[in-house]
Amino acid sequence: MEFNTLLLFALTVLPLICTPGPDILFISSQGLSGGMKSAWVANAGVISGYLTHALLSVLGLAALVSASPILFHLLKWVGVFYISYLAVKMLISACKKGQLALNASKTSHLFRKGFLTSFLNPKGLLVYLAILPNFIDNHNDIATQSLLLSGIFITTCLIIYGLLGTFFAYIGLKGGLSEKRRRYNDGIAGGLLTFAAINLALN
């Protein structure tokens, strides 16, 4: 593929990636409440969800979802309910007393949660159904082109989400891990996820 085509694709998806949505808000909330490790584990889970989207797109399954509005909307509402569930858990945590313990039990399920957050996010499907096909030359190997464009999208997500997660982890840990700050951080994290669920439901 020509460099200009790859660059144009990157510039096209960049605003979409930077738009606050379930992925960004989930990673940011985990960095805020759980620190650097939680942010990067959540980021890895989110990226794995988009890798799965890329593979399904190459296999043609994304076209099946595109052809069935019922499947697309079902996926959307499953995502809304799942993110709402995560928001409620964070808000409940904010209401509980006790120090924050950053250990394996705190982050053991973040990868799975991150995966589901991105896999159930229609933004990824829209990239593969509405944007990516416009940059593919039908006269060349479609699968290879799709994987190359997907690599650009996923790498950009990894970098931007990683920077945001690191930034919020720094903010969350700067003042120490007192009970008051822990509950304050969990409350903000729950609010961010609530906003993400509402935004996903309305769009």
Side-chain angles (χ1 to χ4, degrees), residues 1-197:
M1 300 184 70
E2 295 183 0
F3 175 77
N4 289 340
T5 301
L6 300 177
L7 179 60
L8 181 58
F9 174 77
L11 294 176
T12 300
V13 298
L14 183 61
L16 181 63
I17 294 173
C18 294
T19 301
D23 301 333
I24 287 180
L25 296 180
F26 176 69
I27 293 172
S28 300
S29 67
Q30 295 308 314
L32 190 64
S33 63
M36 190 78 69
K37 180 180 178 180
S38 294
W40 277 100
V41 172
N43 191 12
V46 167
I47 295 303
S48 70
Y50 283 134
L51 284 171
T52 304
H53 277 174
L55 293 176
L56 293 178
S57 177
V58 171
L59 294 174
L61 296 182
L64 176 62
V65 176
S66 177
S68 175
I70 295 178
L71 283 178
F72 184 84
H73 283 89
L74 177 62
L75 182 66
K76 168 187 173 179
W77 285 106
V78 170
V80 169
F81 286 118
Y82 180 71
I83 296 170
S84 298
Y85 163 74
L86 296 179
V88 169
K89 288 192 66 175
M90 294 300 296
L91 292 174
I92 291 176
S93 175
C95 296
K96 290 182 179 180
K97 295 182 178 181
Q99 293 286 334
L100 174 65
L102 291 178
N103 50 39
S105 62
K106 179 69 177 178
T107 60
S108 59
H109 301 300
L110 284 182
F111 184 89
R112 173 177 56 83
K113 292 178 179 178
F115 171 81
L116 290 175
T117 298
S118 62
F119 184 74
L120 297 175
N121 183 3
K123 178 173 73 174
L125 290 176
L126 289 175
V127 169
Y128 292 107
L129 296 176
I131 299 177
L132 188 145
N134 294 308
F135 293 86
I136 290 180
D137 182 359
N138 293 330
H139 299 293
N140 293 316
D141 188 344
I142 295 178
T144 301
Q145 294 179 82
S146 179
L147 288 175
L148 183 58
L149 293 172
S150 297
I152 293 175
F153 171 67
I154 292 171
T155 300
T156 306
C157 287
L158 177 65
I159 295 173
I160 292 177
Y161 294 170
L163 291 174
L164 286 172
T166 300
F167 172 73
F168 279 97
Y170 173 76
I171 292 178
L173 298 178
K174 185 177 181 181
L177 297 176
S178 65
E179 176 187 348
K180 180 179 180 180
R181 188 167 187 83
R182 192 274 303 171
R183 295 176 68 180
Y184 175 74
N185 288 347
D186 282 354
I188 294 178
L192 288 174
L193 290 174
T194 300
F195 173 78

